[in-house]
Amino acid sequence: MDLSEKIQNLKREKKAIILAHNYQRPEIQDIADYVGDSIEISRKATQEEDAETIVFCAVDFMAESAAILNPKKKVLLPSLGARCPMAQMLTVEEIKRQKAKYPGAPVVLYVNTLASAKAQCDVCCTSANAVEVIQSLDADTVLFGPDRNLAEYVQEKTGKTLIPIPEYGFCPTHLLFQPEDVKVLKLQHPDAEVVVHPECSSEMRKVADFIGSTSKMCRYAKESPCRQFIVGTEEGLLHRLRKENPEKQFFLAYEGAVCPNMKLTTLDRLYVSLREEKHLVRVPEQTAQKARKALKRMFEVKS
Ligand code: 13P
Ligand code: SF4
């Protein structure tokens, strides 16, 4: 029996479901029951009523969100080291400091935050619904963290004032993209459209034909009449883009754009995770209660 068969057997035995983010390794995406962006996999986790265990092939904050939304289920993260560095950039102390500085301003946090931070906010958002979440608020000044680039992008889109907390939160992988690389690729593929993630710098957003979350990029690529795309997000998404659009061509805007944390989930680790039921993700109930409120409020916003 090969490893994939062993994983499938264990999955059935343990009534488990495997959810994977769009940046996972191709073999993980292929074995998963569902592949999606951060909001889609969190929502999916809440819809799988028959599953007793959810294996989250992603990073810490996504598995934490699943555990918060499914307190009765076992949520497993195959690699404990899969921690998003951006989520580590925003501390509870910083949120409290900024709340004191801007009393009355609502706090909106990107889901790329730890549960303890989410417990301090009014509502969460993802890159797929950040604009709609900010628009839904009856306030012109909003504290927003931790991604400064997403804050800038949403500010441009909504005309509201977004105060970035911390001042310079960022995704190290998305900051690797540079417009000069896009220029070179455009010389080689002049008809290609440029699609980028809002975590990219403003310089990258300026050269983009489309800006959106990973799943919005997938939808755009499918619907666009264009046949070639230069993609400004983590390289894992290209597997899904190519699989769903075999007649189209996709070029990564920078070959080194790999999120090492997302790649820590391997088939071996997934197998061990299912077999030994590790690593169990737990969020203290007091924190989970408050974070759940912010996540649920996000789900209520139409996007
Ligand atoms: P989305 O899949 O929600 O676009 O998120 C991108 C990301 O960086 C997740 O870590
Ligand atoms: Fe975090 Fe960036 Fe990796 Fe997403 S791609 S998990 S934001 S470091």
Side-chain angles (χ1 to χ4, degrees):
M1 227 194 300
D2 70 9
L3 200 50
S4 302
E5 284 173 303
K6 285 187 191 168
I7 291 171
Q8 296 291 4
N9 286 349
L10 267 179
K11 202 183 81 176
R12 274 190 292 275
E13 202 179 291
K14 306 224 172 196
K15 290 203 171 80
I17 173 165
I18 301 172
L19 303 180
H21 186 265
N22 286 322
Y23 296 160
Q24 289 291 294
R25 293 167 182 271
E27 61 275 23
I28 297 290
Q29 294 192 30
D30 291 344
I31 206 166
D33 295 290
Y34 187 81
V35 182
D37 71 6
S38 43
I39 193 170
E40 288 173 337
I41 49 178
S42 300
R43 189 176 273 140
K44 193 76 187 160
T46 64
Q47 293 165 345
E48 292 298 320
E49 283 167 18
D50 296 337
E52 288 172 10
T53 300
I54 304 169
V55 191
F56 236 77
C57 299
V59 287
D60 54 355
F61 70 84
M62 296 187 193
E64 269 191 355
S65 296
I68 290 164
L69 293 166
N70 299 276
K72 294 206 175 83
K73 289 186 180 159
K74 275 184 210 151
V75 175
L76 305 176
L77 183 67
S79 174
L80 261 192
R83 301 168 81 197
C84 167
M86 188 209 279
Q88 309 287 332
M89 290 176 193
L90 184 57
T91 61
V92 169
E93 291 67 39
E94 172 67 2
I95 302 171
K96 286 186 176 163
R97 210 175 9 251
Q98 296 299 336
K99 273 184 178 178
K101 208 167 152 191
Y102 297 94
V107 181
V108 179
L109 294 188
Y110 195 21
V111 284
N112 299 36
T113 40
L114 298 177
S116 52
K118 285 189 181 77
Q120 299 293 322
C121 80
D122 295 289
V123 54
C124 291
C125 72
T126 74
S127 51
N129 61 18
V131 169
E132 290 82 357
V133 167
I134 295 295
Q135 273 165 342
S136 75
L137 297 172
D138 185 20
D140 288 327
T141 301
V142 179
L143 294 168
F144 187 96
D147 189 17
R148 190 189 171 97
N149 285 312
L150 182 61
E152 277 176 16
Y153 170 69
V154 176
Q155 178 161 292
E156 283 158 23
K157 285 276 185 194
T158 61
K160 296 197 182 194
T161 304
L162 268 64
I163 317 270
I165 55 168
E167 205 176 345
Y168 294 105
F170 63 94
C171 163
T173 303
H174 283 90
L175 278 204
L176 292 169
F177 293 107
Q178 300 293 322
E180 54 265 35
D181 297 327
V182 175
K183 227 188 231 173
V184 174
L185 281 165
K186 273 293 245 185
L187 286 174
Q188 293 161 0
H189 312 287
D191 296 333
E193 283 190 324
V194 181
V195 294
V196 313
H197 196 278
E199 285 177 16
C200 290
S201 65
S202 59
E203 291 78 19
M204 275 300 286
R205 293 198 307 273
K206 277 188 200 122
V207 298
D209 297 295
F210 177 78
I211 303 165
S213 75
T214 53
S215 285
K216 285 197 173 167
M217 283 189 206
C218 289
R219 208 167 312 138
Y220 183 82
K222 205 177 271 181
E223 288 167 6
S224 165
C226 190
R227 300 181 68 82
Q228 292 186 322
F229 299 87
I230 296 165
V231 183
T233 196
E234 208 274 348
E235 61 98 38
L237 188 70
L238 273 78
H239 177 66
R240 180 169 162 195
L241 286 168
R242 289 177 178 142
K243 212 168 150 178
E244 291 180 352
N245 307 278
E247 74 292 1
K248 298 187 178 184
Q249 280 185 303
F250 298 92
F251 310 101
L252 189 60
Y254 174 65
E255 279 305 323
V258 177
C259 171
N261 313 283
M262 282 283 180
K263 301 308 196 233
L264 282 175
T265 312
T266 57
L267 277 186
D268 286 315
R269 288 186 172 132
L270 172 57
Y271 172 64
V272 174
S273 168
L274 268 166
R275 193 186 62 196
E276 295 172 19
E277 302 194 355
K278 67 180 195 183
H279 304 273
L280 191 60
V281 180
R282 285 187 211 271
V283 179
E285 188 45 33
Q286 223 183 349
T287 304
Q289 246 181 37
K290 293 186 194 154
R292 197 176 296 127
K293 228 168 117 185
L295 283 166
K296 287 198 168 163
R297 193 167 162 197
M298 166 181 81
F299 285 126
E300 282 161 16
V301 175
K302 278 205 171 53
S303 60

PDB file of all heavy atoms in Angstrom, residues 6-18 50-55 73-74 76 270-278:
ATOM      1  N   LYS A   6      -2.703   4.637   2.364  1.00  0.00           N
ATOM      2  CA  LYS A   6      -2.723   4.547   3.836  1.00  0.00           C
ATOM      3  C   LYS A   6      -3.457   5.758   4.417  1.00  0.00           C
ATOM      4  O   LYS A   6      -4.215   5.635   5.369  1.00  0.00           O
ATOM      5  CB  LYS A   6      -1.289   4.519   4.380  1.00  0.00           C
ATOM      6  CG  LYS A   6      -0.581   3.185   4.176  1.00  0.00           C
ATOM      7  CD  LYS A   6       0.735   3.257   4.912  1.00  0.00           C
ATOM      8  CE  LYS A   6       1.621   2.095   4.564  1.00  0.00           C
ATOM      9  NZ  LYS A   6       3.000   2.284   5.050  1.00  0.00           N
ATOM     10  N   ILE A   7      -3.212   6.921   3.833  1.00  0.00           N
ATOM     11  CA  ILE A   7      -3.882   8.144   4.319  1.00  0.00           C
ATOM     12  C   ILE A   7      -5.390   8.031   4.086  1.00  0.00           C
ATOM     13  O   ILE A   7      -6.192   8.317   4.983  1.00  0.00           O
ATOM     14  CB  ILE A   7      -3.289   9.402   3.623  1.00  0.00           C
ATOM     15  CG1 ILE A   7      -1.851   9.630   4.101  1.00  0.00           C
ATOM     16  CG2 ILE A   7      -4.149  10.639   3.878  1.00  0.00           C
ATOM     17  CD1 ILE A   7      -1.067  10.686   3.349  1.00  0.00           C
ATOM     18  N   GLN A   8      -5.776   7.549   2.912  1.00  0.00           N
ATOM     19  CA  GLN A   8      -7.214   7.408   2.595  1.00  0.00           C
ATOM     20  C   GLN A   8      -7.890   6.437   3.565  1.00  0.00           C
ATOM     21  O   GLN A   8      -8.999   6.699   4.041  1.00  0.00           O
ATOM     22  CB  GLN A   8      -7.418   6.912   1.158  1.00  0.00           C
ATOM     23  CG  GLN A   8      -6.936   7.867   0.072  1.00  0.00           C
ATOM     24  CD  GLN A   8      -7.773   9.139  -0.034  1.00  0.00           C
ATOM     25  OE1 GLN A   8      -8.691   9.363   0.756  1.00  0.00           O
ATOM     26  NE2 GLN A   8      -7.438   9.988  -0.992  1.00  0.00           N
ATOM     27  N   ASN A   9      -7.214   5.332   3.878  1.00  0.00           N
ATOM     28  CA  ASN A   9      -7.780   4.346   4.807  1.00  0.00           C
ATOM     29  C   ASN A   9      -7.965   4.931   6.204  1.00  0.00           C
ATOM     30  O   ASN A   9      -9.007   4.769   6.823  1.00  0.00           O
ATOM     31  CB  ASN A   9      -6.883   3.106   4.899  1.00  0.00           C
ATOM     32  CG  ASN A   9      -7.008   2.268   3.637  1.00  0.00           C
ATOM     33  OD1 ASN A   9      -7.896   2.504   2.817  1.00  0.00           O
ATOM     34  ND2 ASN A   9      -6.115   1.299   3.460  1.00  0.00           N
ATOM     35  N   LEU A  10      -6.896   5.584   6.680  1.00  0.00           N
ATOM     36  CA  LEU A  10      -6.966   6.182   8.015  1.00  0.00           C
ATOM     37  C   LEU A  10      -8.057   7.237   8.088  1.00  0.00           C
ATOM     38  O   LEU A  10      -8.749   7.381   9.097  1.00  0.00           O
ATOM     39  CB  LEU A  10      -5.630   6.858   8.342  1.00  0.00           C
ATOM     40  CG  LEU A  10      -4.599   6.037   9.081  1.00  0.00           C
ATOM     41  CD1 LEU A  10      -3.338   6.874   9.293  1.00  0.00           C
ATOM     42  CD2 LEU A  10      -5.130   5.590  10.449  1.00  0.00           C
ATOM     43  N   LYS A  11      -8.185   7.974   6.985  1.00  0.00           N
ATOM     44  CA  LYS A  11      -9.184   9.046   6.921  1.00  0.00           C
ATOM     45  C   LYS A  11     -10.595   8.469   7.126  1.00  0.00           C
ATOM     46  O   LYS A  11     -11.392   8.987   7.895  1.00  0.00           O
ATOM     47  CB  LYS A  11      -9.071   9.723   5.550  1.00  0.00           C
ATOM     48  CG  LYS A  11      -9.606  11.108   5.502  1.00  0.00           C
ATOM     49  CD  LYS A  11      -9.525  11.660   4.110  1.00  0.00           C
ATOM     50  CE  LYS A  11     -10.694  11.125   3.315  1.00  0.00           C
ATOM     51  NZ  LYS A  11     -10.762  11.690   1.970  1.00  0.00           N
ATOM     52  N   ARG A  12     -10.854   7.367   6.435  1.00  0.00           N
ATOM     53  CA  ARG A  12     -12.181   6.720   6.570  1.00  0.00           C
ATOM     54  C   ARG A  12     -12.384   6.197   7.986  1.00  0.00           C
ATOM     55  O   ARG A  12     -13.403   6.428   8.613  1.00  0.00           O
ATOM     56  CB  ARG A  12     -12.303   5.568   5.560  1.00  0.00           C
ATOM     57  CG  ARG A  12     -12.792   6.046   4.189  1.00  0.00           C
ATOM     58  CD  ARG A  12     -13.126   4.865   3.300  1.00  0.00           C
ATOM     59  NE  ARG A  12     -11.940   4.116   2.921  1.00  0.00           N
ATOM     60  CZ  ARG A  12     -11.151   4.430   1.877  1.00  0.00           C
ATOM     61  NH1 ARG A  12     -11.442   5.460   1.124  1.00  0.00           N
ATOM     62  NH2 ARG A  12     -10.085   3.721   1.598  1.00  0.00           N
ATOM     63  N   GLU A  13     -11.340   5.494   8.467  1.00  0.00           N
ATOM     64  CA  GLU A  13     -11.399   4.886   9.802  1.00  0.00           C
ATOM     65  C   GLU A  13     -11.702   5.930  10.888  1.00  0.00           C
ATOM     66  O   GLU A  13     -12.464   5.704  11.797  1.00  0.00           O
ATOM     67  CB  GLU A  13     -10.011   4.288  10.060  1.00  0.00           C
ATOM     68  CG  GLU A  13      -9.915   3.197  11.079  1.00  0.00           C
ATOM     69  CD  GLU A  13      -8.446   2.757  11.141  1.00  0.00           C
ATOM     70  OE1 GLU A  13      -7.947   2.150  10.148  1.00  0.00           O
ATOM     71  OE2 GLU A  13      -7.802   3.066  12.152  1.00  0.00           O
ATOM     72  N   LYS A  14     -11.081   7.086  10.757  1.00  0.00           N
ATOM     73  CA  LYS A  14     -11.201   8.112  11.808  1.00  0.00           C
ATOM     74  C   LYS A  14     -12.281   9.142  11.505  1.00  0.00           C
ATOM     75  O   LYS A  14     -12.361  10.159  12.182  1.00  0.00           O
ATOM     76  CB  LYS A  14      -9.857   8.817  11.974  1.00  0.00           C
ATOM     77  CG  LYS A  14      -8.718   7.857  12.230  1.00  0.00           C
ATOM     78  CD  LYS A  14      -7.818   8.331  13.324  1.00  0.00           C
ATOM     79  CE  LYS A  14      -6.824   7.236  13.649  1.00  0.00           C
ATOM     80  NZ  LYS A  14      -6.137   7.411  14.897  1.00  0.00           N
ATOM     81  N   LYS A  15     -13.075   8.894  10.486  1.00  0.00           N
ATOM     82  CA  LYS A  15     -14.116   9.856  10.058  1.00  0.00           C
ATOM     83  C   LYS A  15     -13.511  11.265   9.959  1.00  0.00           C
ATOM     84  O   LYS A  15     -14.006  12.229  10.573  1.00  0.00           O
ATOM     85  CB  LYS A  15     -15.280   9.855  11.039  1.00  0.00           C
ATOM     86  CG  LYS A  15     -16.117   8.598  11.012  1.00  0.00           C
ATOM     87  CD  LYS A  15     -17.498   8.933  11.574  1.00  0.00           C
ATOM     88  CE  LYS A  15     -18.487   7.840  11.407  1.00  0.00           C
ATOM     89  NZ  LYS A  15     -18.450   6.757  12.319  1.00  0.00           N
ATOM     90  N   ALA A  16     -12.423  11.348   9.230  1.00  0.00           N
ATOM     91  CA  ALA A  16     -11.707  12.628   9.121  1.00  0.00           C
ATOM     92  C   ALA A  16     -11.929  13.270   7.761  1.00  0.00           C
ATOM     93  O   ALA A  16     -12.273  12.588   6.790  1.00  0.00           O
ATOM     94  CB  ALA A  16     -10.216  12.398   9.352  1.00  0.00           C
ATOM     95  N   ILE A  17     -11.736  14.569   7.733  1.00  0.00           N
ATOM     96  CA  ILE A  17     -11.782  15.282   6.460  1.00  0.00           C
ATOM     97  C   ILE A  17     -10.478  16.078   6.348  1.00  0.00           C
ATOM     98  O   ILE A  17      -9.975  16.587   7.350  1.00  0.00           O
ATOM     99  CB  ILE A  17     -13.035  16.183   6.372  1.00  0.00           C
ATOM    100  CG1 ILE A  17     -12.973  17.034   5.110  1.00  0.00           C
ATOM    101  CG2 ILE A  17     -13.232  17.065   7.568  1.00  0.00           C
ATOM    102  CD1 ILE A  17     -14.260  17.664   4.733  1.00  0.00           C
ATOM    103  N   ILE A  18      -9.935  16.130   5.132  1.00  0.00           N
ATOM    104  CA  ILE A  18      -8.679  16.849   4.934  1.00  0.00           C
ATOM    105  C   ILE A  18      -8.957  18.135   4.160  1.00  0.00           C
ATOM    106  O   ILE A  18      -9.487  18.090   3.044  1.00  0.00           O
ATOM    107  CB  ILE A  18      -7.646  15.979   4.164  1.00  0.00           C
ATOM    108  CG1 ILE A  18      -7.362  14.690   4.938  1.00  0.00           C
ATOM    109  CG2 ILE A  18      -6.360  16.757   3.895  1.00  0.00           C
ATOM    110  CD1 ILE A  18      -6.510  13.676   4.179  1.00  0.00           C
ATOM    111  N   ASP A  50     -20.626  15.557   9.576  1.00  0.00           N
ATOM    112  CA  ASP A  50     -20.347  14.150   9.876  1.00  0.00           C
ATOM    113  C   ASP A  50     -18.892  13.888  10.291  1.00  0.00           C
ATOM    114  O   ASP A  50     -18.595  12.855  10.880  1.00  0.00           O
ATOM    115  CB  ASP A  50     -20.668  13.269   8.654  1.00  0.00           C
ATOM    116  CG  ASP A  50     -22.162  13.328   8.353  1.00  0.00           C
ATOM    117  OD1 ASP A  50     -22.925  13.646   9.288  1.00  0.00           O
ATOM    118  OD2 ASP A  50     -22.545  13.088   7.196  1.00  0.00           O
ATOM    119  N   ALA A  51     -18.021  14.808   9.953  1.00  0.00           N
ATOM    120  CA  ALA A  51     -16.599  14.579  10.251  1.00  0.00           C
ATOM    121  C   ALA A  51     -16.336  14.735  11.751  1.00  0.00           C
ATOM    122  O   ALA A  51     -16.872  15.629  12.392  1.00  0.00           O
ATOM    123  CB  ALA A  51     -15.750  15.565   9.468  1.00  0.00           C
ATOM    124  N   GLU A  52     -15.523  13.827  12.295  1.00  0.00           N
ATOM    125  CA  GLU A  52     -15.162  13.934  13.713  1.00  0.00           C
ATOM    126  C   GLU A  52     -13.815  14.634  13.880  1.00  0.00           C
ATOM    127  O   GLU A  52     -13.514  15.198  14.912  1.00  0.00           O
ATOM    128  CB  GLU A  52     -15.123  12.532  14.342  1.00  0.00           C
ATOM    129  CG  GLU A  52     -16.527  11.970  14.498  1.00  0.00           C
ATOM    130  CD  GLU A  52     -16.552  10.524  14.934  1.00  0.00           C
ATOM    131  OE1 GLU A  52     -15.498   9.970  15.311  1.00  0.00           O
ATOM    132  OE2 GLU A  52     -17.649   9.936  14.888  1.00  0.00           O
ATOM    133  N   THR A  53     -13.006  14.528  12.820  1.00  0.00           N
ATOM    134  CA  THR A  53     -11.673  15.116  12.857  1.00  0.00           C
ATOM    135  C   THR A  53     -11.466  15.951  11.600  1.00  0.00           C
ATOM    136  O   THR A  53     -11.857  15.528  10.509  1.00  0.00           O
ATOM    137  CB  THR A  53     -10.606  13.990  12.898  1.00  0.00           C
ATOM    138  OG1 THR A  53     -10.841  13.207  14.071  1.00  0.00           O
ATOM    139  CG2 THR A  53      -9.195  14.529  12.921  1.00  0.00           C
ATOM    140  N   ILE A  54     -10.861  17.113  11.770  1.00  0.00           N
ATOM    141  CA  ILE A  54     -10.529  17.941  10.604  1.00  0.00           C
ATOM    142  C   ILE A  54      -9.010  18.092  10.578  1.00  0.00           C
ATOM    143  O   ILE A  54      -8.418  18.582  11.539  1.00  0.00           O
ATOM    144  CB  ILE A  54     -11.166  19.346  10.706  1.00  0.00           C
ATOM    145  CG1 ILE A  54     -12.685  19.239  10.886  1.00  0.00           C
ATOM    146  CG2 ILE A  54     -10.834  20.178   9.468  1.00  0.00           C
ATOM    147  CD1 ILE A  54     -13.348  20.559  11.258  1.00  0.00           C
ATOM    148  N   VAL A  55      -8.391  17.628   9.488  1.00  0.00           N
ATOM    149  CA  VAL A  55      -6.945  17.821   9.370  1.00  0.00           C
ATOM    150  C   VAL A  55      -6.750  19.058   8.506  1.00  0.00           C
ATOM    151  O   VAL A  55      -7.203  19.107   7.361  1.00  0.00           O
ATOM    152  CB  VAL A  55      -6.229  16.616   8.722  1.00  0.00           C
ATOM    153  CG1 VAL A  55      -4.721  16.770   8.869  1.00  0.00           C
ATOM    154  CG2 VAL A  55      -6.693  15.319   9.353  1.00  0.00           C
ATOM    155  N   LYS A  73     -15.072  19.375  17.618  1.00  0.00           N
ATOM    156  CA  LYS A  73     -14.301  18.483  16.734  1.00  0.00           C
ATOM    157  C   LYS A  73     -12.816  18.530  17.061  1.00  0.00           C
ATOM    158  O   LYS A  73     -12.323  19.503  17.616  1.00  0.00           O
ATOM    159  CB  LYS A  73     -14.523  18.902  15.286  1.00  0.00           C
ATOM    160  CG  LYS A  73     -15.931  18.569  14.848  1.00  0.00           C
ATOM    161  CD  LYS A  73     -16.156  18.837  13.398  1.00  0.00           C
ATOM    162  CE  LYS A  73     -17.594  18.461  13.093  1.00  0.00           C
ATOM    163  NZ  LYS A  73     -18.104  19.069  11.913  1.00  0.00           N
ATOM    164  N   LYS A  74     -12.143  17.431  16.633  1.00  0.00           N
ATOM    165  CA  LYS A  74     -10.681  17.418  16.782  1.00  0.00           C
ATOM    166  C   LYS A  74     -10.111  18.126  15.560  1.00  0.00           C
ATOM    167  O   LYS A  74     -10.385  17.707  14.431  1.00  0.00           O
ATOM    168  CB  LYS A  74     -10.167  15.975  16.739  1.00  0.00           C
ATOM    169  CG  LYS A  74     -10.206  15.268  18.044  1.00  0.00           C
ATOM    170  CD  LYS A  74      -9.590  13.882  17.887  1.00  0.00           C
ATOM    171  CE  LYS A  74     -10.263  12.948  18.871  1.00  0.00           C
ATOM    172  NZ  LYS A  74     -10.298  11.572  18.450  1.00  0.00           N
ATOM    173  N   LEU A  76      -6.629  19.001  13.675  1.00  0.00           N
ATOM    174  CA  LEU A  76      -5.215  18.620  13.689  1.00  0.00           C
ATOM    175  C   LEU A  76      -4.415  19.469  12.703  1.00  0.00           C
ATOM    176  O   LEU A  76      -4.867  19.726  11.586  1.00  0.00           O
ATOM    177  CB  LEU A  76      -5.065  17.143  13.298  1.00  0.00           C
ATOM    178  CG  LEU A  76      -5.856  16.120  14.120  1.00  0.00           C
ATOM    179  CD1 LEU A  76      -5.662  14.719  13.532  1.00  0.00           C
ATOM    180  CD2 LEU A  76      -5.414  16.128  15.593  1.00  0.00           C
ATOM    181  N   LEU A 270       1.359  14.315   7.099  1.00  0.00           N
ATOM    182  CA  LEU A 270      -0.099  14.174   7.092  1.00  0.00           C
ATOM    183  C   LEU A 270      -0.491  12.776   7.584  1.00  0.00           C
ATOM    184  O   LEU A 270      -1.424  12.609   8.384  1.00  0.00           O
ATOM    185  CB  LEU A 270      -0.628  14.440   5.670  1.00  0.00           C
ATOM    186  CG  LEU A 270      -2.095  14.164   5.394  1.00  0.00           C
ATOM    187  CD1 LEU A 270      -2.991  14.953   6.346  1.00  0.00           C
ATOM    188  CD2 LEU A 270      -2.452  14.543   3.950  1.00  0.00           C
ATOM    189  N   TYR A 271       0.257  11.782   7.136  1.00  0.00           N
ATOM    190  CA  TYR A 271      -0.006  10.395   7.555  1.00  0.00           C
ATOM    191  C   TYR A 271       0.165  10.244   9.073  1.00  0.00           C
ATOM    192  O   TYR A 271      -0.710   9.727   9.765  1.00  0.00           O
ATOM    193  CB  TYR A 271       0.929   9.445   6.783  1.00  0.00           C
ATOM    194  CG  TYR A 271       0.876   8.032   7.288  1.00  0.00           C
ATOM    195  CD1 TYR A 271      -0.297   7.287   7.192  1.00  0.00           C
ATOM    196  CD2 TYR A 271       1.987   7.438   7.879  1.00  0.00           C
ATOM    197  CE1 TYR A 271      -0.361   5.987   7.672  1.00  0.00           C
ATOM    198  CE2 TYR A 271       1.939   6.141   8.361  1.00  0.00           C
ATOM    199  CZ  TYR A 271       0.752   5.419   8.260  1.00  0.00           C
ATOM    200  OH  TYR A 271       0.686   4.148   8.743  1.00  0.00           O
ATOM    201  N   VAL A 272       1.287  10.745   9.582  1.00  0.00           N
ATOM    202  CA  VAL A 272       1.558  10.636  11.029  1.00  0.00           C
ATOM    203  C   VAL A 272       0.500  11.404  11.827  1.00  0.00           C
ATOM    204  O   VAL A 272       0.035  10.959  12.881  1.00  0.00           O
ATOM    205  CB  VAL A 272       2.989  11.150  11.351  1.00  0.00           C
ATOM    206  CG1 VAL A 272       3.238  11.175  12.859  1.00  0.00           C
ATOM    207  CG2 VAL A 272       4.028  10.282  10.660  1.00  0.00           C
ATOM    208  N   SER A 273       0.113  12.546  11.285  1.00  0.00           N
ATOM    209  CA  SER A 273      -0.894  13.373  11.960  1.00  0.00           C
ATOM    210  C   SER A 273      -2.203  12.599  12.144  1.00  0.00           C
ATOM    211  O   SER A 273      -2.786  12.585  13.227  1.00  0.00           O
ATOM    212  CB  SER A 273      -1.108  14.638  11.114  1.00  0.00           C
ATOM    213  OG  SER A 273      -2.229  15.340  11.537  1.00  0.00           O
ATOM    214  N   LEU A 274      -2.643  11.916  11.085  1.00  0.00           N
ATOM    215  CA  LEU A 274      -3.874  11.127  11.155  1.00  0.00           C
ATOM    216  C   LEU A 274      -3.705   9.917  12.073  1.00  0.00           C
ATOM    217  O   LEU A 274      -4.571   9.608  12.891  1.00  0.00           O
ATOM    218  CB  LEU A 274      -4.232  10.631   9.759  1.00  0.00           C
ATOM    219  CG  LEU A 274      -5.167  11.515   8.933  1.00  0.00           C
ATOM    220  CD1 LEU A 274      -5.139  11.082   7.486  1.00  0.00           C
ATOM    221  CD2 LEU A 274      -6.591  11.468   9.469  1.00  0.00           C
ATOM    222  N   ARG A 275      -2.563   9.248  11.930  1.00  0.00           N
ATOM    223  CA  ARG A 275      -2.346   8.020  12.704  1.00  0.00           C
ATOM    224  C   ARG A 275      -2.264   8.325  14.192  1.00  0.00           C
ATOM    225  O   ARG A 275      -2.872   7.655  15.004  1.00  0.00           O
ATOM    226  CB  ARG A 275      -1.038   7.348  12.227  1.00  0.00           C
ATOM    227  CG  ARG A 275      -0.887   5.919  12.731  1.00  0.00           C
ATOM    228  CD  ARG A 275       0.461   5.340  12.369  1.00  0.00           C
ATOM    229  NE  ARG A 275       1.534   6.095  12.996  1.00  0.00           N
ATOM    230  CZ  ARG A 275       2.812   6.036  12.636  1.00  0.00           C
ATOM    231  NH1 ARG A 275       3.178   5.264  11.635  1.00  0.00           N
ATOM    232  NH2 ARG A 275       3.724   6.756  13.251  1.00  0.00           N
ATOM    233  N   GLU A 276      -1.529   9.382  14.551  1.00  0.00           N
ATOM    234  CA  GLU A 276      -1.312   9.666  15.980  1.00  0.00           C
ATOM    235  C   GLU A 276      -2.197  10.793  16.514  1.00  0.00           C
ATOM    236  O   GLU A 276      -2.029  11.230  17.648  1.00  0.00           O
ATOM    237  CB  GLU A 276       0.174   9.973  16.205  1.00  0.00           C
ATOM    238  CG  GLU A 276       1.009   8.743  15.921  1.00  0.00           C
ATOM    239  CD  GLU A 276       2.508   9.014  15.943  1.00  0.00           C
ATOM    240  OE1 GLU A 276       2.937  10.022  16.514  1.00  0.00           O
ATOM    241  OE2 GLU A 276       3.235   8.187  15.358  1.00  0.00           O
ATOM    242  N   GLU A 277      -3.070  11.253  15.682  1.00  0.00           N
ATOM    243  CA  GLU A 277      -3.991  12.352  16.025  1.00  0.00           C
ATOM    244  C   GLU A 277      -3.231  13.527  16.623  1.00  0.00           C
ATOM    245  O   GLU A 277      -3.504  13.985  17.733  1.00  0.00           O
ATOM    246  CB  GLU A 277      -5.100  11.856  16.952  1.00  0.00           C
ATOM    247  CG  GLU A 277      -5.871  10.731  16.303  1.00  0.00           C
ATOM    248  CD  GLU A 277      -7.185  10.407  16.994  1.00  0.00           C
ATOM    249  OE1 GLU A 277      -7.481  10.989  18.039  1.00  0.00           O
ATOM    250  OE2 GLU A 277      -7.910   9.559  16.442  1.00  0.00           O
ATOM    251  N   LYS A 278      -2.270  14.020  15.860  1.00  0.00           N
ATOM    252  CA  LYS A 278      -1.515  15.180  16.303  1.00  0.00           C
ATOM    253  C   LYS A 278      -1.310  16.150  15.131  1.00  0.00           C
ATOM    254  O   LYS A 278      -1.409  15.708  13.981  1.00  0.00           O
ATOM    255  CB  LYS A 278      -0.193  14.775  16.929  1.00  0.00           C
ATOM    256  CG  LYS A 278       0.809  14.153  15.960  1.00  0.00           C
ATOM    257  CD  LYS A 278       2.050  13.799  16.711  1.00  0.00           C
ATOM    258  CE  LYS A 278       3.199  13.529  15.756  1.00  0.00           C
ATOM    259  NZ  LYS A 278       4.404  13.125  16.396  1.00  0.00           N
TER     260      LYS A 278
END
